[in-house]
Amino acid sequence: MFSDVETWTSAFIWHLIGPEQHIGQMVTAGMSFPRQLDLLTSLFRHRFPDPLLLQSLDALTKRISELEQKRNTVLHSSWVLQSSDPNEATRFKITANRKKGLHHAKEVTRPEELDAIADGFQQVLMDFTHFMIPLVSTLQSNKRGRRD
């Protein structure tokens, strides 16, 4: 599901940049997902300065960012089975940074929690595309109107 959100984010950026999608593709190729969200937001603010639309986009990108963080936590952790319950796994992650120093994170996780992340991506993808597609369509209509 994350890859679908990532693909749609890139595609919306391409449309917001302009009619030549290959230029947008060159811009987003290799760009980290958080930077893509930043670029999407900046381009959106330029193309659609309506405060209500900006508020809706901000809410969507916040949800997407939170889900991405949860996804990254799941994917970039080690997992062990420590419980006698086959429906539990323990997530283990070691980090170190300037602020906190060495940190060990350990958390028991159930399948329902992982399902909730996947369901969250499915819902946010639907909300995101339903919000963006009509707006991108208006850009395309405006561009066609200018050529006539």
Side-chain angles (χ1 to χ4, degrees), residues 80 82 90-94 103-109:
V80 293
Q82 289 186 321
T90 301
R91 181 184 70 79
F92 187 69
K93 175 91 175 174
I94 300 171
H103 179 71
H104 293 93
K106 183 178 176 183
E107 171 183 45
V108 174
T109 304

Side-chain angles (χ1 to χ4, degrees), residues 47-135:
R47 299 277 188 206
F48 303 102
D50 180 303
L52 292 176
L53 291 176
L54 295 173
Q55 186 177 9
S56 295
L57 181 68
D58 286 344
L60 280 167
T61 56
K62 180 180 178 190
R63 286 172 53 203
I64 291 169
S65 291
E66 289 169 356
L67 283 166
E68 186 215 8
Q69 279 302 115
K70 290 178 183 179
R71 172 222 177 246
N72 288 346
T73 297
V74 168
L75 287 179
H76 299 292
S77 293
S78 296
W79 292 88
V80 293
L81 297 174
Q82 289 186 321
S83 171
S84 60
D85 184 343
N87 290 316
E88 289 183 349
T90 301
R91 181 184 70 79
F92 187 69
K93 175 91 175 174
I94 300 171
T95 58
N97 62 39
R98 288 183 292 199
K99 272 183 153 177
K100 296 180 184 178
L102 182 64
H103 179 71
H104 293 93
K106 183 178 176 183
E107 171 183 45
V108 174
T109 304
R110 301 189 54 83
E112 300 83 31
E113 296 169 64
L114 301 176
D115 288 342
I117 296 169
D119 293 345
F121 272 116
Q122 187 172 13
Q123 184 62 53
V124 81
L125 176 62
M126 190 170 62
D127 295 344
F128 188 42
T129 55
H130 286 164
F131 175 73
M132 288 295 294
I133 288 173
L135 295 169

Side-chain angles (χ1 to χ4, degrees), residues 12-73:
F12 292 141
I13 289 169
W14 306 339
H15 287 288
L16 290 170
I17 286 174
E20 298 179 75
Q21 282 195 7
H22 66 280
I23 293 173
Q25 292 167 356
M26 286 186 276
V27 170
T28 60
M31 184 181 282
S32 71
F33 186 70
R35 296 298 69 84
Q36 284 193 25
L37 287 179
D38 291 342
L39 179 58
L40 175 80
T41 303
S42 294
L43 291 167
F44 189 92
R45 288 179 188 283
H46 175 71
R47 299 277 188 206
F48 303 102
D50 180 303
L52 292 176
L53 291 176
L54 295 173
Q55 186 177 9
S56 295
L57 181 68
D58 286 344
L60 280 167
T61 56
K62 180 180 178 190
R63 286 172 53 203
I64 291 169
S65 291
E66 289 169 356
L67 283 166
E68 186 215 8
Q69 279 302 115
K70 290 178 183 179
R71 172 222 177 246
N72 288 346
T73 297

